[in-house]
Amino acid sequence: LTTEQQQKIKDLLELAAIHADVGYLTAPTGSNALWAYQEILKIDPYSQPAMDGIVKIADTLEQQAWEAYEKNDKSTALKKVQEGLEAYPEHKGLLQLRDKLRASS
């Protein structure tokens, strides 16, 4: 990677962290943590910090989905599951909760 690319990745990682801190995980469009991580992966498809960030977003959304599920707020739970799966389609916890929500509806 060029020095310029490395700097761009560093800036995007900082931006992603800021977005995550304020709760902008997958929205608003073009100004959220997931978008920043995806931009990093366009520059460096093997960026471990970006991949870890995406997994962390999915983990956070899974946690939020379970909290909604436990309050019997299934529509919010499903919305969080869908957001999480957009970020990380193979996330086991999100897939299990999605199946559980489908079975109970």
Side-chain angles (χ1 to χ4, degrees):
L1 294 172
T2 66
T3 309
E4 192 178 286
Q5 287 172 317
Q6 289 170 350
Q7 184 59 47
K8 176 94 173 131
I9 288 172
K10 187 173 173 282
D11 293 345
L12 283 164
L13 282 171
E14 286 175 21
L15 186 64
I18 292 165
H19 286 318
D21 286 346
V22 295
Y24 293 173
L25 299 178
T26 59
T29 305
S31 184
N32 62 68
L34 178 61
W35 172 85
Y37 291 131
Q38 288 170 334
E39 289 299 301
I40 293 167
L41 292 174
K42 288 178 188 172
I43 300 166
D44 177 8
Y46 303 103
S47 169
Q48 197 58 54
M51 289 189 269
D52 291 346
I54 289 172
V55 171
K56 192 173 173 196
I57 288 170
D59 289 345
T60 301
L61 288 166
E62 178 194 11
Q63 186 182 348
Q64 292 172 356
W66 274 110
E67 287 166 9
Y69 181 79
E70 286 165 9
K71 292 177 188 157
N72 215 23
D73 182 354
K74 290 183 179 151
S75 66
T76 299
L78 191 58
K79 187 171 161 272
K80 295 289 182 187
V81 166
Q82 288 167 334
E83 276 180 50
L85 289 174
E86 279 176 36
Y88 185 44
E90 299 91 38
H91 192 278
K92 284 186 177 60
L94 288 165
L95 291 169
Q96 287 172 340
L97 181 52
R98 184 187 66 188
D99 293 345
K100 192 178 184 99
L101 284 162
R102 284 182 174 165
S104 69
S105 57

